[in-house]
Amino acid sequence: VLEAMGQKPTEEELFQMISEVDDNMSGSIDFGEFLKVIEKQKERAAQFDDESDMIDAFVACGGKPDKSGHVHRDTLIKIIKHDFGLTIDIEDLINKIDTDQSGEIEYSEFKALLS
């Protein structure tokens, strides 16, 4: 089932997953415990995908994959208003999240802007 979800856990990871939900300490899991494993894996996958997508967007706008660097204010305005044609007041949003008023949007600010 996990492989069908795009995951390939190692034996050690499987043991860890089972131990997290094996409420009766039997060494195996019943259906209810199995559902808990699947739910936890879905949550972990969603968190990874969200962070990965956010980093990809940051890099596409000019940041670096290790979350360093920054996105220039003007670049972000161009992307939002001209490339995507959105009519939101992006300048005001940038002013609110660019806490150091540098005009350079660091990863934490970028994430706050898009969250």
Side-chain angles (χ1 to χ4, degrees), residues 19-73:
S19 67
E20 287 176 7
V21 298
D22 187 13
D23 296 330
N24 60 3
M25 308 290 224
S26 67
S28 62
I29 57 173
D30 60 28
F31 187 69
E33 293 167 335
F34 170 75
L35 292 177
K36 287 180 189 177
V37 168
I38 298 303
E39 188 59 36
K40 285 184 179 202
Q41 285 305 105
K42 285 166 96 178
E43 289 170 6
R44 288 179 184 141
Q47 289 174 348
F48 176 77
D49 290 344
D50 289 347
E51 183 74 6
S52 178
D53 290 346
M54 187 67 70
I55 293 169
D56 289 347
F58 183 66
V59 170
C61 292
K64 297 193 182 332
D66 65 357
K67 302 179 193 176
S68 66
H70 57 268
V71 175
H72 289 283
R73 171 190 178 94

Side-chain angles (χ1 to χ4, degrees), residues 92-108:
D92 185 52
L93 293 173
I94 291 172
N95 289 338
K96 289 178 180 169
I97 61 112
D98 186 16
T99 54
D100 59 4
Q101 299 300 305
S102 65
E104 298 174 339
I105 312 303
E106 289 82 20
Y107 180 76
S108 61

